[in-house]
Amino acid sequence: MDNDVNIRMEQKRVNDVIQEINIKEKKLNSKAGGLKESIIGLRKNFWEDVTVNLEELDDVIETQASIKQQAELLSERERSHGEIDKQLKTLERLKDSPYFGRVDFKDETDEEFEQLYIGIASLMDQNEENFLIYDWRAPISSLYYDFSPGPAHFHTVQDTIHGEISLKRQYIIRQGKIKGMFDTGVTIGDALLQAALGHNASTSMKSIVATIQKEQNKIIRNERSNMLIVQGVAGSGKTSAVLQRIAYLLYRFRGNLTSDNLLLFSPNPLFSSYISNVLPELGETNIKQTTFIDFLREGIEKNISVESPFEQMEFTLTCKNPTVFETRKQNIRLKSSLYFKDLVDKYVSTLQTQGIQFRNITFRDAILISKEQISDYFYELEENVSLPNRMEIVSKWLLKELRLIQNREKDKDWVMEQVELLDKESYLQAYYENQRIDEDDFGLEEDILRNEVVKKQFANVRSQVRKFAFVNVLETYFKLFTDWNVSPLPENWDAIRTFTKENLLNRFLTWEDATAYRYFRGKLLGDQKSRSVRHLFIDEAQDYTAFQYAFIKEIFPYTRMTLLGDINQAIYTYGSSLNPLIPEFVGENHERIVLTKSYRSTKEIVNFTKRFAPGGELIEPFDRHGEPPEIITLEEESSLVDVLTETIHNLQDKKHETIAIICKTFHESNEIFKLLKSKVAVKQINEETYSFEKGILVLPVYLAKGIEFDAVIVPNASNNHYHQESDRTLFYTACTRAMHSLTIVTTHTPCKFLQEATS
């Protein structure tokens, strides 16, 4: 059939589908309007429609039932209105681009091929009998992603359907008009991918449902593995695939799984902002995202400061004192390891019989219950009772003792002094309480007021006891490095002990100590095992240490996990390099998927960067061409500002909207920012940056992880800057952020990685 005729027929179908969408929108808007009026009416007349009578017990029960019934009715109407609003937003998205793919499929029992159109959401005809569009997550839609024309099959919940594909077609539809249409024999045609990848970088990650590749589809639809590990080279779409995986799981297990049951550990707040639009774009609610450091801080006392992983990296990259650097390096290696976890466990086992440090319980500068009394009571309890359970028993005992002390304290002079400072409302309440109990007992009112004062004054003490504040966790952890005889002694133990003691005395935890301390605290006081999180997703998984993985497994023992990362971008060299994904952590029921094709950068950039890729992995470029990377060698370092300014202007002339100057450290990015801020409109990114904006950005490489830019400038690739082998991952990560243009500035002697790329 003539291609023009084909396009006219396909455009007619698009028009017909949009007409159906308009009809559905009209009906839903009408229904929404009625519900809105009903909700407003219910809210306005809520108390008029409720029978309120509080004189008798039966009347009170009837009143409560009436309020509950009215509240449930209002809640049900609001839920319905919310669901309609969600459907309307989906229809609005479909109206712009109803679908992106078509598969003509005939199963073994059929005589004719059925045309299946694939889009971001399902749409049925007016009679709700036939699918006009299939949701990309529906089982039948996997035909589009997994097969070329010829024999094909898809899995349903109960069965596997076999058949044949006669046609696979892809569309680019914008504002209801077909802009491009391709018949293809591969999973996703190059033309569609070229169109998707050739655009400028966005300030937020976009959905990739129209261009999902076969290997990415395996990640998205994996249901059987308790642990799914994705090793993907830079730009392979692993993060995008995992976000589509989240949308797929919410669709596949709707009714049993909600966004509250899923959690994502992202590398930094900027990245969290960058990916925040993907799920709403697919009609799903965003899941909870947090960084691992924020997750740790939730379980660490507020008056203890915690170093961030970025501060740790900045220290290791900028420290000039060889002795201090060596001690810190060994401290990181030890406390990132499973060996140190075993040391902590052994130390905790000794605390069953002695050693836990307690605090006095004080009130008005007086000791009510001494730490010695608490210790004696704790260690008189049965040894076979776990430490957290014993803490619970001690807490209950202390609360009981406090009630007795509170009763004795009530009659003291200071209480009456406080009573006299109470407001009129407190006196009125005491008067009415006195009248209710015994109007002839004139001393009762004062007794009520005294009780009220003491209760309020003791409230904070009781609250602290419930939080186990009577346990000095930091001091107990401190004893691990002072009084406990470690055997066998770790390498350089004396220097590590001295370094750790100084930090703990200042109530400061290094990044490598943060997980160990949080783990120790949980062993002492109890750490809530998470049963609500059924799927955990960890991005940049290669940057987590063995100890961190062991801790995660401890907190999420019943949770399925998806880990995605790239060993070529393991930038936390001294910690994560020990054992990024240890066998003890991944367990038996795990699956590894390797993504080797890079889609982000042009073929020229990928071929350039793969020459110094740290792991020597096979990296395949996608066939999208552009300019080769530009290397600028400075005659004089003083000319750097002029070179950077000229390069930025040239890139802007080429319509690059997002230009990143990616530095090795924050210190370097700060210097570059100061040099450029009077020349161009540059924005500085730090670890507190929560939103990603277009423009000229300067940032350290560790904050650029997972993000892509139109153009990247590496401002100093000289040998005196990237000189250690451990810098390879940093340099590789910086260069692979570029989509269309990569410029590298160096002095007379370029770093060895640059030499490898150009030799």
Side-chain angles (χ1 to χ4, degrees):
M1 187 182 293
D2 181 79
N3 195 50
D4 289 342
V5 175
N6 248 335
I7 290 177
R8 283 199 298 274
M9 288 174 64
E10 291 283 11
Q11 183 62 59
K12 182 180 182 307
R13 187 184 191 278
V14 170
N15 297 343
D16 291 344
V17 168
I18 291 173
Q19 192 174 345
E20 289 285 345
I21 291 170
N22 288 331
I23 292 168
K24 284 182 180 288
E25 269 188 332
K26 193 173 180 181
K27 287 180 180 177
L28 283 172
N29 277 318
S30 175
K31 195 174 178 183
L35 273 171
K36 189 175 181 181
E37 287 180 16
S38 173
I39 290 165
I40 292 169
L42 279 168
R43 285 176 178 167
K44 189 176 179 181
N45 304 314
F46 188 93
W47 292 108
E48 293 176 16
D49 297 336
V50 170
T51 306
V52 179
N53 193 335
L54 304 176
E55 292 182 5
E56 300 292 337
L57 181 60
D58 288 348
D59 294 332
V60 170
I61 293 170
E62 186 182 336
T63 297
Q64 288 175 338
S66 180
I67 292 171
K68 185 182 177 186
Q69 183 181 25
Q70 196 72 355
E72 284 175 351
L73 180 61
L74 179 58
S75 178
E76 188 272 326
R77 297 279 166 84
E78 287 176 335
R79 266 196 309 273
S80 298
H81 190 270
E83 188 58 39
I84 289 174
D85 185 58
K86 187 178 175 182
Q87 289 175 37
L88 284 167
K89 285 176 180 174
T90 300
L91 291 175
E92 193 60 36
R93 283 193 294 272
L94 287 177
K95 202 189 293 186
D96 177 62
S97 179
Y99 41 82
F100 49 79
R102 166 184 161 187
V103 175
D104 290 4
F105 179 72
K106 178 179 73 170
D107 73 29
E108 292 171 327
T109 61
D110 287 338
E111 292 183 5
E112 294 185 3
F113 284 91
E114 182 184 358
Q115 295 175 0
L116 313 172
Y117 287 83
I118 317 295
I120 62 162
S122 293
L123 182 74
M124 299 193 77
D125 61 16
Q126 284 189 60
N127 300 323
E128 299 293 317
E129 290 176 354
N130 301 306
F131 280 95
L132 299 175
I133 307 169
Y134 283 93
D135 191 298
W136 66 276
R137 296 166 290 187
I140 199 168
S141 299
S142 64
L143 292 168
Y144 172 73
Y145 298 112
D146 289 342
F147 294 98
S148 303
H153 63 269
F154 66 94
H155 302 287
T156 65
V157 178
Q158 294 88 11
D159 205 357
T160 300
I161 309 299
H162 292 269
E164 182 188 354
I165 295 174
S166 65
L167 173 75
K168 185 152 73 169
R169 182 168 288 169
Q170 295 151 23
Y171 309 90
I172 298 174
I173 303 174
R174 299 288 180 267
Q175 296 178 323
K177 301 296 180 186
I178 295 177
K179 303 294 184 184
M181 190 174 86
F182 322 97
D183 288 354
T184 180
V186 294
T187 306
I188 300 297
D190 283 357
L192 196 62
L193 258 178
Q194 291 278 11
L197 298 171
H199 291 194
N200 283 339
S202 170
T203 56
S204 60
M205 185 178 281
K206 299 298 183 185
S207 154
I208 62 163
V209 292
T211 57
I212 291 168
Q213 303 295 290
K214 186 174 181 178
E215 64 272 19
Q216 293 169 331
N217 201 38
K218 288 179 185 174
I219 297 166
I220 293 165
R221 293 176 188 263
N222 184 293
E223 297 176 18
R224 60 185 178 274
S225 304
N226 289 333
M227 176 79 63
L228 180 61
I229 301 163
V230 181
Q231 157 59 37
V233 301
S236 57
K238 51 189 177 293
T239 302
S240 295
V242 164
L243 290 168
Q244 320 301 310
R245 170 169 171 72
I246 290 168
Y248 171 78
L249 291 170
L250 289 169
Y251 172 88
R252 170 70 178 82
F253 299 104
R254 59 194 182 281
N256 295 318
L257 195 69
T258 69
S259 56
D260 294 332
N261 303 133
L262 288 80
L263 173 64
L264 170 66
F265 284 158
S266 64
N268 54 60
L270 182 64
F271 181 80
S272 297
S273 165
Y274 179 62
I275 65 172
S276 62
N277 280 343
V278 175
L279 288 171
E281 204 177 286
L282 296 169
E284 299 292 352
T285 306
N286 264 325
I287 66 170
K288 183 184 178 186
Q289 291 181 50
T290 187
T291 58
F292 188 59
I293 186 171
D294 285 343
F295 180 76
L296 287 180
R297 279 176 175 153
E298 287 175 7
I300 294 174
E301 297 91 317
K302 297 291 184 286
N303 59 359
I304 296 175
S305 57
V306 181
E307 179 187 49
S308 75
F310 312 118
E311 289 168 332
Q312 182 204 68
M313 170 156 279
E314 196 70 19
F315 178 90
T316 59
L317 292 175
T318 58
C319 180
K320 300 289 189 250
N321 185 318
T323 306
V324 172
F325 176 77
E326 189 59 32
T327 299
R328 183 69 195 271
K329 186 168 75 173
Q330 290 178 330
N331 191 62
I332 293 171
R333 282 183 170 153
L334 172 65
K335 291 172 182 173
S336 300
S337 69
L338 291 179
Y339 171 70
F340 188 65
K341 177 184 174 293
D342 289 340
L343 281 185
V344 173
D345 287 335
K346 286 175 185 174
Y347 176 59
V348 168
S349 68
T350 68
L351 299 176
Q352 294 280 355
T353 53
Q354 62 175 0
I356 297 176
Q357 304 299 299
F358 293 96
R359 290 192 180 95
N360 296 323
I361 294 179
T362 60
F363 180 73
R364 294 176 64 83
D365 299 325
I367 296 174
L368 300 181
I369 305 169
S370 72
K371 57 187 177 184
E372 291 79 13
Q373 287 174 283
I374 298 172
S375 181
D376 290 343
Y377 187 90
F378 182 90
Y379 282 113
E380 283 170 6
L381 296 169
E382 292 288 337
E383 272 186 47
N384 59 358
V385 178
S386 71
L387 294 178
N389 284 346
R390 279 199 262 176
M391 293 298 177
E392 195 67 48
I393 293 168
V394 171
S395 175
K396 288 176 181 175
W397 167 69
L398 289 171
L399 289 170
K400 186 178 177 183
E401 291 296 305
L402 284 173
R403 278 195 294 273
L404 297 174
I405 294 168
Q406 192 174 310
N407 285 334
R408 292 198 297 270
E409 202 75 16
K410 183 185 68 174
D411 298 322
K412 293 187 177 178
D413 292 342
W414 72 265
V415 179
M416 198 59 208
E417 290 171 10
Q418 292 292 315
V419 166
E420 289 169 0
L421 297 174
L422 291 173
D423 55 24
K424 286 183 180 180
E425 190 178 341
S426 299
Y427 275 92
L428 276 172
Q429 285 178 343
Y431 170 77
Y432 287 125
E433 186 69 9
N434 187 2
Q435 294 293 306
R436 189 180 66 80
I437 298 170
D438 186 352
E439 61 183 60
D440 297 325
D441 187 348
F442 299 108
L444 184 59
E445 187 176 331
E446 182 186 317
D447 203 46
I448 290 167
L449 289 167
R450 281 178 175 270
N451 272 327
E452 185 64 25
V453 165
V454 175
K455 184 180 175 184
K456 283 182 179 177
Q457 293 284 327
F458 270 79
N460 185 53
V461 181
R462 289 194 302 273
S463 172
Q464 292 301 308
V465 167
R466 290 190 188 97
K467 294 174 183 174
F468 300 150
F470 56 87
V471 186
N472 194 332
V473 180
L474 189 67
E475 182 67 24
T476 310
Y477 185 70
F478 184 82
K479 297 287 183 184
L480 191 161
F481 303 95
T482 54
D483 299 358
W484 190 52
N485 293 318
V486 178
S487 180
L489 283 177
E491 185 183 350
N492 209 21
W493 179 240
D494 286 341
I496 289 172
R497 285 203 315 176
T498 302
F499 174 76
T500 306
K501 285 188 290 184
E502 287 174 3
N503 286 320
L504 296 181
L505 285 170
N506 290 315
R507 306 188 70 80
F508 174 74
L509 293 173
T510 61
W511 177 236
E512 61 268 25
D513 261 304
T515 302
Y517 180 77
R518 169 77 192 268
Y519 174 77
F520 173 77
R521 194 173 191 275
K523 288 294 178 186
L524 211 58
L525 307 182
D527 222 333
Q528 193 69 38
K529 309 292 185 197
S530 179
R531 292 175 183 272
S532 64
V533 176
R534 291 168 58 187
H535 283 270
L536 175 66
F537 305 87
I538 303 178
D539 205 351
E540 303 296 345
Q542 76 281 350
D543 290 334
Y544 286 70
T545 69
F547 198 144
Q548 288 169 345
Y549 277 129
F551 170 72
I552 288 168
K553 192 171 182 182
E554 181 92 10
I555 298 295
F556 300 100
Y558 317 106
T559 302
R560 292 189 171 199
M561 299 189 193
T562 302
L563 279 57
L564 51 148
D566 178 14
I567 57 170
N568 293 327
Q569 298 179 67
I571 60 174
Y572 296 94
T573 312
Y574 304 112
S576 59
S577 62
L578 282 174
N579 233 340
L581 294 173
I582 53 173
E584 293 92 327
F585 176 70
V586 299
E588 292 181 6
N589 186 17
H590 75 274
E591 185 173 345
R592 292 178 188 265
I593 295 176
V594 179
L595 304 176
T596 58
K597 184 167 277 192
S598 179
Y599 299 99
R600 174 187 298 135
S601 307
T602 61
K603 190 171 185 177
E604 288 74 14
I605 293 173
V606 174
N607 283 334
F608 177 84
T609 55
K610 69 185 283 189
R611 291 174 194 153
F612 55 87
E617 262 26 28
L618 176 65
I619 301 171
E620 305 170 62
F622 177 68
D623 195 23
R624 180 173 69 85
H625 289 277
E627 295 177 358
E630 182 183 9
I631 299 167
I632 301 173
T633 303
L634 299 179
E635 294 297 326
E636 300 288 338
E637 287 189 28
S638 58
S639 63
L640 177 63
V641 178
D642 293 335
V643 166
L644 290 177
T645 306
E646 185 182 351
T647 302
I648 289 166
H649 289 320
N650 288 340
L651 291 169
Q652 287 176 323
D653 289 343
K654 293 175 183 176
K655 306 301 181 189
H656 294 312
E657 296 176 351
T658 309
I659 301 166
I661 303 166
I662 302 183
C663 305
K664 182 180 176 183
T665 64
F666 182 74
H667 176 76
E668 184 194 353
S669 75
N670 210 26
E671 293 300 311
I672 296 289
F673 176 72
K674 288 175 184 174
L675 290 172
L676 287 176
K677 64 180 182 180
S678 62
K679 307 284 185 183
V680 291
V682 64
K683 300 169 191 170
Q684 189 174 22
I685 303 289
N686 59 41
E687 63 176 292
E688 300 299 320
T689 303
Y690 285 83
S691 61
F692 179 35
E693 298 175 4
K694 290 186 178 183
I696 306 157
L697 312 172
V698 58
L699 69 166
V701 61
Y702 49 77
L703 292 181
K705 307 261 321 241
I707 302 175
E708 58 192 23
F709 308 92
D710 289 333
V712 165
I713 302 170
V714 178
N716 186 356
S718 57
N719 195 49
N720 62 358
H721 197 52
Y722 287 95
H723 58 280
Q724 297 183 29
E725 181 57 31
S726 57
D727 293 334
R728 185 181 291 272
T729 52
L730 291 165
F731 190 66
Y732 175 77
T733 302
C735 292
T736 54
R737 302 306 93 203
M739 290 178 66
H740 310 298
S741 175
L742 173 62
T743 305
I744 299 171
V745 182
T746 182
T747 52
H748 297 293
T749 310
C751 67
K752 63 178 180 179
F753 317 124
L754 194 52
Q755 292 178 45
E756 289 171 18
T758 54
S759 61

